[in-house]
Amino acid sequence: RALSINRQAVLVDSSGNAYSSWTNIQNCLAFNPTLGGLEFVCRNFNPTGHLNAHQADAGMTFWVHDMEVYQAEYGNARYPTSVASTDAHIGFPILDPGTGTWGHMGAQWCEGGWYSSFWASPVDLSGDIGSPRSVGVELPTGDIVFVCDEVNGLLPYYTMSADLQTTVSSGNLASNSQLWGIDCNGGVCFVFWYDLTDLSVWYVSSTDGVTWTTAAQWALTYPSPYTSNVLGWPQMAITDAGDPILVFDLSDGNDLTYPFSSRVYVSTASGATPVEVSNDGYGVWSYPTIAAGGGDITVVMQCAMDTTLIDSF
């Protein structure tokens, strides 16, 4: 719904159904580095499987509501992500129409530029690889690199031209892994993941999405605030100086209540002790996301102010 109060509005859903606005929430909002515009992409509840994109200028006063940008051309889309790029881009995993399981990875770009309704036809980047998640960023070259998780633990990437018509490079960055995060700033793109066996954290970097550095380990020592600690919601951002910053939460694996006991930590450098940014005095903290720019680092997270009321956040 769009609610205009003092000119400030965020259109998160076109249908009045809150579920369709839930997505890879940390990656559904993107910023245009040239025009200063914001783009939000979300599912359309009716018809199911279609996607909407919404754009606003820096003053949050002008909206472009592109109804059904993606119209299930390859199957029902889920959990779309928006790309911070000069021309508007979105990416999304697609369910296999025959089996309903995770299938292809799709993408679209707005060929009319920001603040237009001229979205090009969707592109199938990957074929049927079984991908439940994909995230894209714009490289210093102007190309777009998409990285996704596969259900079998592979971490494939697809570097595409800005119009998504040419595959510049593709391959697998890791196996037996899950994506931690991807970001591009300071002229360099980093991709972080964690090993599914021992939760060790690894990363590669690139400036062009073609040549990647050798995988290196990020020496992360996990805090142990609980007897049973469960890793959740890992994210990362790159500072203007090109330095990675990681964020994650740890929940109490023995806590069966909701919201679950959890704490949020930031890892500022490989080998450095993670810093807790949550505060038990205010309640239960979880679901962090992180952004960096202009010399600042910002962490946004959910806090359950009253653990007896599940809607008191």
Side-chain angles (χ1 to χ4, degrees):
R1 301 186 182 92
L3 179 63
S4 295
I5 301 176
N6 298 327
R7 302 190 316 153
Q8 307 266 333
V10 176
L11 182 60
V12 298
D13 183 32
S14 65
S15 68
N17 184 288
Y19 176 70
S20 62
S21 69
W22 191 92
T23 175
N24 281 324
I25 198 71
Q26 73 281 5
N27 295 121
C28 65
L29 183 67
F31 177 76
N32 176 278
T34 304
L35 302 177
L38 294 171
E39 177 181 75
F40 184 92
V41 58
C42 68
R43 290 174 56 186
N44 187 324
F45 177 73
N46 187 16
T48 301
H50 295 204
L51 301 178
N52 296 334
H54 316 281
Q55 296 173 352
D57 65 15
M60 300 291 282
T61 57
F62 174 73
W63 284 97
V64 175
H65 178 192
D66 292 304
M67 189 69 175
E68 299 179 29
V69 171
Y70 171 76
Q71 301 181 30
E73 286 89 340
Y74 295 106
N76 289 340
R78 293 290 188 270
Y79 313 136
T81 58
S82 189
V83 181
S85 50
T86 303
D87 292 319
H89 293 80
I90 64 173
F92 45 91
I94 307 167
L95 296 181
D96 184 282
T99 63
T101 57
W102 291 115
H104 300 233
M105 184 171 70
Q108 275 183 274
W109 77 293
C110 193
E111 59 183 335
W114 278 72
Y115 310 133
S116 83
S117 297
F118 300 104
W119 284 78
S121 298
V123 175
D124 178 7
L125 299 178
S126 64
D128 193 354
I129 60 172
S131 170
R133 182 186 182 201
S134 64
V135 184
V137 295
E138 185 177 52
L139 299 164
T141 60
D143 295 332
I144 311 295
V145 58
F146 295 89
V147 177
C148 71
D149 285 316
E150 283 191 32
V151 291
N152 61 6
L154 291 178
L155 198 72
Y157 77 92
Y158 300 86
T159 302
M160 308 296 296
S161 58
D163 62 4
L164 304 182
Q165 296 303 300
T166 303
T167 302
V168 178
S169 180
S170 64
N172 287 317
L173 298 177
S175 60
N176 190 43
S177 63
Q178 187 162 327
L179 182 65
W180 184 292
I182 175 175
D183 193 21
C184 188
N185 197 3
V188 61
C189 171
F190 280 86
V191 178
F192 275 74
W193 66 87
Y194 60 93
D195 187 279
L196 292 174
T197 301
D198 58 12
L199 298 185
S200 57
V201 180
W202 301 80
Y203 66 92
V204 293
S205 64
S206 178
T207 58
D208 58 9
V210 177
T211 302
W212 297 86
T213 59
T214 302
Q217 186 171 4
W218 182 273
L220 176 61
T221 300
Y222 292 97
S224 300
Y226 310 108
T227 302
S228 175
N229 297 277
V230 179
L231 171 68
W233 215 251
Q235 306 295 319
M236 58 87 63
I238 307 298
T239 67
D240 293 352
D243 299 321
I245 307 290
L246 309 185
V247 68
F248 59 96
D249 68 22
L250 292 176
S251 59
D252 185 351
N254 295 323
D255 187 353
L256 301 180
T257 62
Y258 182 83
F260 313 108
S261 299
S262 59
R263 298 185 182 187
V264 175
Y265 297 87
V266 170
S267 179
T268 59
S270 177
T273 301
V275 179
E276 182 180 357
V277 294
S278 52
N279 186 326
D280 286 348
Y282 290 94
V284 175
W285 297 83
S286 57
Y287 304 115
T289 187
I290 190 169
D296 295 318
I297 300 170
T298 300
V299 175
V300 179
M301 48 193 160
Q302 170 183 284
C303 178
M305 304 297 288
D306 184 343
T307 56
T308 64
L309 299 173
I310 64 172
D311 60 349
S312 178
F313 295 111

